[in-house]
């Protein structure tokens, strides 16, 4: 079992930055796969970034978003720079552990002037 709690969302102007955090109930490096997904209104949930040695990103966020893990705090981060209105969505933390997908409740990110 893995509990995930996201934080760090909010309202930001285009071009601004936010840092999302996901606190996990166990060591993030004991989990097979951790990443961030997002879901915009009326759209399907999509993968944003996976935590790998160099990071794995969807094309629309490459060069702007950075995924990282803090093993001491069991926390996953997503640094988001140069945000655009199309980044507006609920962002979810995901962990794949022992064949089961676990999700946090999500954090809202709104990019608007």
């Amino acid at each position: 079992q893995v509990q995930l709690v996201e934080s760090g969302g909010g309202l930001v102007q285009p071009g601004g930055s936010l840092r999302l955090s996901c606190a996990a109930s166990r060591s993030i490096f004991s989990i097979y796969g951790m990443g961030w997904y997002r879901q915009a209104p009326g759209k399907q949930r999509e993968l944003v970034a996976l935590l790998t040695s160099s990071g794995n990103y969807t094309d629309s966020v490459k060069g702007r978003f950075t995924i990282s893990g803090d093993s001491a705090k069991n926390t996953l981060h997503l640094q988001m720079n140069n945000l655009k209105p199309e980044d507006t969505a609920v962002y979810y933390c995901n962990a794949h552990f022992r064949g089961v997908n676990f999700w946090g409740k999500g954090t809202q990110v709104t990019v608007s002037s």
Side-chain angles (χ1 to χ4, degrees):
Q1 190 92 7
V2 182
Q3 284 81 43
L4 304 169
V5 179
E6 302 97 336
S7 61
L11 173 64
V12 63
Q13 292 185 342
S17 297
L18 283 174
R19 188 190 195 209
L20 304 184
S21 296
C22 170
S25 60
R26 62 184 306 125
S27 169
I28 62 173
F29 293 105
S30 72
I31 298 170
Y32 176 72
M34 288 201 74
W36 289 95
Y37 288 70
R38 67 186 179 186
Q39 188 166 17
K43 294 188 177 181
Q44 289 188 330
R45 192 172 296 189
E46 64 169 352
L47 173 66
V48 176
L50 286 175
L51 183 65
T52 63
S53 58
S54 59
N56 192 345
Y57 303 93
T58 192
D59 286 346
S60 63
V61 308
K62 285 180 180 177
R64 301 188 296 122
F65 291 12
T66 303
I67 189 170
S68 62
D70 184 337
S71 59
K73 298 182 179 179
N74 293 341
T75 301
L76 185 71
H77 297 291
L78 185 68
Q79 178 67 42
M80 306 186 294
N81 298 328
N82 190 21
L83 282 160
K84 303 176 180 181
E86 51 264 42
D87 295 318
T88 295
V90 178
Y91 283 71
Y92 297 91
C93 182
N94 171 266
H96 188 76
F97 183 70
R98 293 182 180 174
V100 179
N101 261 326
F102 296 92
W103 296 93
K105 292 183 178 180
T107 185
Q108 176 71 46
V109 172
T110 302
V111 185
S112 175
S113 56

